[in-house]
Amino acid sequence: MALVVKKFGGSSVATTEKILAVAQRILSEKKPDDKIVVVVSAMGDTTDNLITLAEGIDKEPYKASYLREMDMLLTTGEQISISLLAMAFQKLGQPAISLTGSMVGMKTDSVHTKGRILDINPARVFEELEKGNIVVVAGFQGADKLGDPVTLGRGGSDASAVALAGALKADECEIFTDVDGVYSADPRIVKNAHKMKEITYREMLEMARLGAGVMQPRSVEMGHYFHIPIHVRSTFNDKIGTVIREAYTLEDNYFEIRGVAHDPKVAKIAVLGVSNTPGIAYKIFSALADANISVDMIVQSIRNLEKNITDMVFTIDESDLAQAKKVIDKVAEEIDAASVLVEEDVAKVSIVGAGMVGNPGVASKMFGALSKAGVNIDIISTSEISVSCLIKGSQLVEAVNSIHDEFFKE
Amino acid sequence: MALVVKKFGGSSVATTEKILAVAQRILSEKKPDDKIVVVVSAMGDTTDNLITLAEGIDKEPYKASYLREMDMLLTTGEQISISLLAMAFQKLGQPAISLTGSMVGMKTDSVHTKGRILDINPARVFEELEKGNIVVVAGFQGADKLGDPVTLGRGGSDASAVALAGALKADECEIFTDVDGVYSADPRIVKNAHKMKEITYREMLEMARLGAGVMQPRSVEMGHYFHIPIHVRSTFNDKIGTVIREAYTLEDNYFEIRGVAHDPKVAKIAVLGVSNTPGIAYKIFSALADANISVDMIVQSIRNLEKNITDMVFTIDESDLAQAKKVIDKVAEEIDAASVLVEEDVAKVSIVGAGMVGNPGVASKMFGALSKAGVNIDIISTSEISVSCLIKGSQLVEAVNSIHDEFFKE
């Protein structure tokens, strides 16, 4: 017997046909004694349609004063999909019951549309499982201490599934998605990328941070916290996917690195010709922080030792570029910088793996692979379990492939 | 200061434009100190669209095993409209908050899709009113002791508004509808029908039972139970409508009768040539009761005293006719009746008024009016506050007008 939480996203339940197919698939894999909790998102376009309705009241429905009502509105999306999926199970002869976020005891703070999970009291879920029901739970939502519905924001559906699995002390949380697992590199770019059987929470977090889009960091953190293995697998086939867990269980799973991540959505800003006096870095980066802009890589390099002139180069998310440029132009004037340069054709390529700790050969192997591919390295940054290089955006595909070949060649 | 519950139906909130108009209208009538609770139904077609979705899972979504999930599904309809109406108030500068049936403490039994209200604990409503909010409440729904959503079935929106008004000890419950009050006869049929200023609960119940469609008996009973005046008025203008209450407050409001009701959806069945022995009536009517068919008027008349042969004539709702005919044909065979006749072109016309008690002149005045219009009376039945006549369906309009003229001529 196993207690498993299975999570299906909105595209998996976009129509009633697909909802019936999800029910069918779950039943085909269910062993007689299995206890199953299914967490689902709103059907396909439902959320967008609800937002369009709200725009009929006010073109800016995400104003602060509306957020509580937006949550009241948006939580209906999952309530629709859970009731239909429970009916689908019943039609197939399987007792099932749907429960909202509030009903599964998913307690959140009151930050509407961006709620955080505070606690889960899933007594009702246990009761319904005991009765022989498959329990269908609304993802992405909980309720605050007043009992008001609260949505969990970006990555909230996966996070609520993993957190619920934690509270239920489930054996595993399966996340069904449009890819069939976590790959050693993006398979759309690297032809011979391989699917990992396992990856640790820490490595997965680092992969996600460095651009791998499979899982939101939030749910991986949740899995780490609750020690729940997260099985990322495909909605469209029944192959085993990738299990994210504390530590590897499989001997044959060791490589020097786990994977190659990349992020093309990067921009570089260089503040050139700055006087190298105390407080200059603080001025630049506190101004960016005040504007809520995250800075990733930072390099400070001496240009003229005699005159004590330095250059300050850093990277940010491409989407923050316009705002960051404004902020930096203003600061540059204040600190009397020679000039500000912006470069958009940059990208970041990274290797990730717990195995590289204290193994300097790994980084140099990466640099060698880039050199072999004729790729110049602009900035290098490292963490305990990763090395990242900023390169020309137009060379990203060759770079990723060359590094992947170097580490995973047969 | 007044505490008023206002109820708007689905057609009043069918679009976001209409929702904004409802909010505007409520604010234009609101005095600064008024405390206002608005109960709304689902937007126009929402419920039908949700049922269509459920039919995508199973063509018969109202099977018993699905009913709990149907309630989970259908309660989203009002949850959408309340969130949008609360946003509309906020857009107009009025603090407002939406609450589901469960959140206003509307406790129901667990008879899904046909729930009955057991109790209301509106603590949250009082709290939100105290904060200066207009409270927007989902009609038609409550929650059972498990916290599962339950819809209230036919007439449930009005009933939940009136019950909530009762629990809040509101000064009045306003029901906004597509007519501007209760008329002395259906104004579509009787040109000079007048709008009543007031009517008692008992008279309104009798009018409703006898065919007047303005209010469902359920909410009138609820108003009677809680002693809440129900003000029936138009969504489309701000005229005073009709107040349903315990007893009249207005001197000029007395007539011999209150109004003329009619019901064209009646069918007559005659079981002819039955032996007049004990248990025959029981056999006929228990068979109908077992098939869940309500019988209205009943007449038993002796055809042949010598042979002790009798005829049994009764009326039922037209929609039950096909099923009733089957039941009666079977019983007729068992009791060896001579024949069964069915007549569909029949209708019922009634006068209603507490004033007629112990005033035999009122009934004869009605019969006189029918005679004057050349209408033959088939069956007569009376209650304490009404007299009803079964007549030919094709003569209904003349009959109603002639009776109305007789009692309300200037």
Side-chain angles (χ1 to χ4, degrees):
Chain A
M1 193 212 79
L3 170 50
V4 182
V5 175
K6 295 167 184 267
K7 186 258 165 180
F8 289 85
S11 58
S12 303
V13 292
T15 64
T16 49
E17 289 77 24
K18 287 188 176 181
I19 288 173
L20 282 161
V22 163
Q24 186 72 68
R25 188 230 164 106
I26 290 170
L27 291 181
S28 73
E29 288 185 357
K30 180 182 181 299
K31 295 185 195 80
D33 283 347
D34 282 351
K35 293 190 187 303
I36 294 177
V37 175
V38 188
V39 175
V40 278
S41 306
M43 294 170 74
D45 300 331
T46 307
T47 304
D48 288 341
N49 294 340
L50 291 170
I51 293 171
T52 303
L53 264 181
E55 287 170 345
I57 300 295
D58 192 316
K59 275 174 196 159
E60 291 174 53
Y62 279 98
K63 272 182 202 155
S65 62
Y66 293 143
L67 296 182
R68 185 216 178 252
E69 299 305 332
M70 284 303 284
D71 275 354
M72 179 66 85
L73 180 67
L74 296 177
T75 47
T76 64
E78 294 87 32
Q79 197 171 327
I80 291 170
S81 56
I82 57 172
S83 59
L84 295 173
L85 181 54
M87 288 177 73
F89 279 120
Q90 288 171 16
K91 186 180 166 70
L92 299 173
Q94 166 65 50
I97 189 165
S98 68
L99 299 174
T100 64
S102 166
M103 291 162 83
V104 300
M106 182 80 64
K107 288 274 167 252
T108 66
D109 58 21
S110 296
V111 183
H112 285 288
T113 72
K114 287 180 184 170
R116 308 287 306 179
I117 300 168
L118 300 180
D119 190 25
I120 306 178
N121 175 2
R124 180 79 191 271
V125 180
F126 282 121
E127 262 172 51
E128 299 298 342
L129 288 172
E130 276 312 305
K131 289 184 198 160
N133 281 312
I134 285 187
V135 180
V136 183
V137 175
F140 194 65
Q141 59 174 247
D144 68 6
K145 60 178 189 290
L146 291 169
D148 288 1
V150 175
T151 62
L152 300 179
R154 201 171 172 202
S157 273
D158 288 356
S160 57
V162 177
L164 188 57
L168 294 168
K169 302 193 196 309
D171 295 290
E172 191 172 84
C173 181
E174 294 181 350
I175 304 285
F176 291 83
T177 176
D178 52 358
V179 296
D180 59 1
V182 182
Y183 277 75
S184 57
D186 187 335
R188 288 168 301 187
I189 287 187
V190 178
K191 246 190 210 159
N192 50 353
H194 62 270
K195 190 171 71 186
M196 305 176 196
K197 285 177 183 161
E198 297 180 306
I199 182 171
T200 66
Y201 299 118
R202 283 183 69 205
E203 289 167 335
M204 188 69 237
L205 280 173
E206 194 72 355
M207 290 284 283
R209 185 178 76 83
L210 295 172
V214 182
M215 289 287 290
Q216 293 278 342
R218 190 173 177 182
S219 47
V220 181
E221 280 163 10
M222 202 70 86
H224 197 171
Y225 178 78
F226 282 114
H227 306 290
I228 290 292
I230 301 171
H231 183 176
V232 180
R233 53 190 304 202
S234 169
T235 309
F236 311 114
N237 64 54
D238 53 7
K239 282 185 203 150
I240 299 291
T242 302
V243 180
I244 310 169
R245 60 168 82 240
E246 199 70 40
Y248 307 132
T249 56
L250 303 167
E251 201 65 64
D252 68 350
N253 218 11
Y254 287 102
F255 289 99
E256 266 173 316
I257 67 167
R258 296 297 300 159
V260 183
H262 70 273
D263 186 355
K265 291 180 181 161
V266 180
K268 184 177 91 172
I269 297 183
V271 187
L272 302 176
V274 183
S275 162
N276 190 14
T277 52
I280 289 294
Y282 173 75
K283 269 199 183 138
I284 293 175
F285 297 114
S286 65
L288 289 166
D290 288 348
N292 208 20
I293 296 166
S294 294
V295 174
D296 184 14
M297 302 167 126
I298 300 176
V299 180
Q300 185 174 1
S301 58
I302 303 300
R303 175 195 283 207
N304 187 324
L305 199 59
E306 221 164 295
K307 293 186 181 162
N308 202 19
I309 296 284
T310 182
D311 296 338
M312 193 74 82
V313 182
F314 56 89
T315 65
I316 55 170
D317 197 284
E318 207 173 65
S319 62
D320 288 330
L321 182 58
Q323 210 201 337
K325 182 69 166 58
K326 268 189 219 165
V327 171
I328 290 302
D329 281 345
K330 194 155 163 271
V331 175
E333 219 180 287
E334 285 168 29
I335 61 175
D336 199 25
S339 61
V340 174
L341 293 184
V342 165
E343 197 174 343
E344 291 184 71
D345 178 29
V346 290
K348 191 168 63 171
V349 59
S350 311
I351 54 172
V352 174
M356 73 176 65
V357 181
N359 184 352
V362 174
S364 67
K365 202 166 168 182
M366 178 191 192
F367 305 149
L370 286 173
S371 155
K372 215 183 284 176
V375 176
N376 201 38
I377 302 171
D378 195 349
I379 305 179
I380 298 169
S381 73
T382 59
S383 84
E384 231 177 275
I385 60 169
S386 68
V387 180
S388 302
C389 295
L390 193 74
I391 60 170
K392 259 207 162 356
S394 51
Q395 293 185 302
L396 184 61
V397 174
E398 301 98 282
V400 173
N401 273 287
S402 177
I403 295 169
H404 192 274
D405 282 351
E406 188 69 27
F407 284 97
F408 298 112
K409 61 192 162 199
E410 303 291 301
Chain B
M1 193 211 77
L3 170 51
V4 182
V5 174
K6 295 167 185 267
K7 185 260 167 181
F8 289 85
S11 58
S12 303
V13 292
T15 63
T16 49
E17 289 76 25
K18 287 187 176 181
I19 287 173
L20 283 161
V22 163
Q24 186 72 68
R25 188 231 164 106
I26 290 170
L27 292 182
S28 73
E29 288 184 356
K30 180 182 181 298
K31 295 186 195 80
D33 283 347
D34 282 351
K35 292 190 188 303
I36 294 178
V37 175
V38 189
V39 176
V40 279
S41 306
M43 294 170 74
D45 301 330
T46 308
T47 304
D48 288 342
N49 294 341
L50 291 170
I51 293 171
T52 303
L53 266 181
E55 287 169 349
I57 301 295
D58 192 316
K59 275 175 195 159
E60 291 175 52
Y62 279 98
K63 273 182 202 156
S65 62
Y66 293 142
L67 296 182
R68 186 220 177 248
E69 298 306 331
M70 284 303 283
D71 275 354
M72 179 65 86
L73 180 67
L74 295 177
T75 47
T76 64
E78 294 87 31
Q79 196 172 327
I80 291 170
S81 56
I82 57 173
S83 60
L84 295 174
L85 182 54
M87 287 176 76
F89 279 120
Q90 288 172 16
K91 188 181 165 69
L92 299 172
Q94 166 65 50
I97 189 165
S98 67
L99 299 174
T100 64
S102 165
M103 290 163 83
V104 300
M106 182 79 64
K107 287 273 167 253
T108 67
D109 58 20
S110 297
V111 183
H112 284 289
T113 73
K114 287 180 182 170
R116 308 287 306 179
I117 300 167
L118 299 180
D119 190 25
I120 305 178
N121 175 2
R124 179 80 191 269
V125 181
F126 281 120
E127 261 171 51
E128 298 299 341
L129 287 172
E130 276 312 306
K131 289 184 200 161
N133 282 311
I134 285 187
V135 180
V136 183
V137 175
F140 194 66
Q141 59 173 248
D144 67 7
K145 61 178 187 291
L146 290 169
D148 288 2
V150 175
T151 62
L152 300 178
R154 200 172 172 202
S157 273
D158 288 357
S160 58
V162 177
L164 188 57
L168 294 167
K169 302 193 195 310
D171 296 290
E172 190 173 85
C173 181
E174 295 182 349
I175 304 285
F176 290 84
T177 174
D178 52 358
V179 296
D180 59 1
V182 182
Y183 277 75
S184 57
D186 187 335
R188 288 168 300 187
I189 288 186
V190 177
K191 246 191 211 160
N192 51 354
H194 61 270
K195 189 171 73 187
M196 304 177 195
K197 285 178 181 158
E198 296 180 307
I199 182 170
T200 65
Y201 299 117
R202 285 184 65 206
E203 289 167 336
M204 188 68 238
L205 280 173
E206 195 71 356
M207 291 284 283
R209 184 179 76 84
L210 295 171
V214 183
M215 289 287 291
Q216 294 277 342
R218 189 174 178 182
S219 48
V220 181
E221 278 162 11
M222 203 70 87
H224 197 172
Y225 177 79
F226 282 114
H227 307 290
I228 291 291
I230 302 172
H231 184 178
V232 181
R233 54 190 305 201
S234 169
T235 309
F236 311 112
N237 64 53
D238 53 7
K239 283 185 203 149
I240 299 291
T242 302
V243 179
I244 310 170
R245 60 169 82 241
E246 199 70 41
Y248 306 131
T249 57
L250 303 168
E251 202 64 65
D252 69 349
N253 218 11
Y254 287 103
F255 289 99
E256 264 173 317
I257 67 167
R258 296 298 300 160
V260 183
H262 69 274
D263 186 355
K265 290 178 182 163
V266 181
K268 184 177 90 171
I269 297 184
V271 186
L272 302 177
V274 183
S275 161
N276 189 17
T277 51
I280 290 294
Y282 173 75
K283 269 199 183 135
I284 293 175
F285 296 113
S286 66
L288 289 166
D290 289 349
N292 207 21
I293 295 167
S294 294
V295 174
D296 183 14
M297 302 167 127
I298 301 175
V299 181
Q300 183 174 2
S301 57
I302 303 300
R303 175 196 283 206
N304 185 324
L305 199 57
E306 223 165 292
K307 293 187 181 162
N308 203 20
I309 296 285
T310 183
D311 297 339
M312 194 73 84
V313 181
F314 57 89
T315 65
I316 55 169
D317 197 286
E318 207 174 65
S319 62
D320 288 330
L321 182 57
Q323 211 200 336
K325 182 68 166 58
K326 268 190 219 165
V327 171
I328 290 302
D329 281 345
K330 194 154 163 271
V331 175
E333 218 179 288
E334 284 168 28
I335 61 175
D336 199 24
S339 62
V340 175
L341 293 183
V342 165
E343 197 174 343
E344 291 186 70
D345 178 30
V346 290
K348 191 168 64 169
V349 59
S350 310
I351 54 172
V352 175
M356 72 175 64
V357 181
N359 184 351
V362 173
S364 67
K365 202 165 166 183
M366 178 192 193
F367 305 149
L370 287 172
S371 155
K372 215 182 285 177
V375 175
N376 201 39
I377 301 172
D378 194 350
I379 306 179
I380 298 169
S381 73
T382 59
S383 85
E384 230 177 277
I385 60 169
S386 68
V387 180
S388 301
C389 297
L390 193 74
I391 61 171
K392 259 205 162 355
S394 52
Q395 293 185 304
L396 184 60
V397 174
E398 302 97 282
V400 174
N401 273 287
S402 177
I403 295 169
H404 192 273
D405 282 352
E406 188 70 28
F407 283 98
F408 297 112
K409 62 193 162 199
E410 304 290 301

